[in-house]
Amino acid sequence: MVKLNLTRVNMKKMKVTVQVEKQPGEKNFTCVVLEDTPGFLLTGYGASAKEAIEDMYVVEQEMREIAEERGEEMPELEFTFKFDIGSFFNYYSCVNISGIAKRAGLNASLMRKYAAGITSPKEKRKKQLEECLHDLGKELNAAVIG
């Protein structure tokens, strides 16, 4: 049985980061809240990044119900998702790996290896890819279809 030890201090909203990833050699995806949470652990598991995130939301609701049954309170959680490259392209399947690689100035074959978990990018490459995605997001946000 799960024992929750939740306090009523700062129960308004808690910002947490969820790491979504595909482990090398694994077919399934996992997600886990990176911060220490008061008396509970949120994780998710699934055949896709989306399924893992949905599973984590189910676990969150179950933990909330357990807390309520015990007369305890669980904070409202505000999620920020942090994806590895493979889980990013799995979750955002409408985004083309080759197109993003070209836009970021990266080798498409190498990007596919990153996405498959065959090799891992260094921090410099991660930042380069992240900047490319943020720039694309800004452009898409400003786009108008007439």
Side-chain angles (χ1 to χ4, degrees), residues 82 85 104 106 121-135:
K82 181 178 178 185
I85 293 175
L106 301 174
K122 298 194 184 231
E123 283 304 311
K124 181 180 176 182
R125 290 276 189 230
K126 287 181 186 178
K127 287 292 182 195
Q128 186 178 0
L129 179 59
E130 188 175 301
E131 287 175 16
C132 172
L133 293 172
H134 288 179
D135 288 343

Side-chain angles (χ1 to χ4, degrees), residues 15-80:
K15 293 182 179 188
V16 295
T17 304
V18 178
Q19 176 68 53
V20 184
E21 59 190 6
K22 182 178 180 191
Q23 296 295 322
E26 296 285 326
K27 292 182 180 180
N28 293 308
F29 293 80
T30 59
C31 61
V32 65
V33 172
L34 298 178
E35 290 81 11
D36 287 331
T37 49
F40 62 94
L41 174 66
L42 291 180
T43 61
Y45 184 77
S48 68
K50 182 179 180 183
E51 285 181 17
I53 291 170
E54 288 171 350
D55 185 51
M56 186 202 62
Y57 283 123
V58 169
V59 171
E60 177 194 20
Q61 184 58 40
E62 290 171 352
M63 296 302 291
R64 198 168 296 290
E65 289 169 4
I66 290 170
E68 188 176 307
E69 287 173 6
R70 295 176 182 260
E72 298 172 337
E73 191 175 327
M74 189 171 145
E76 289 299 318
L77 301 175
E78 181 179 320
F79 298 107
T80 298

Side-chain angles (χ1 to χ4, degrees), residues 92-131:
Y92 295 102
S93 59
C94 63
V95 177
N96 179 290
I97 292 174
S98 296
I100 294 296
K102 182 177 179 180
R103 183 180 177 98
L106 301 174
N107 179 290
S109 285
L110 185 57
M111 277 288 286
R112 282 190 277 287
K113 288 180 182 178
Y114 293 157
I118 295 169
T119 187
S120 297
K122 298 194 184 231
E123 283 304 311
K124 181 180 176 182
R125 290 276 189 230
K126 287 181 186 178
K127 287 292 182 195
Q128 186 178 0
L129 179 59
E130 188 175 301
E131 287 175 16

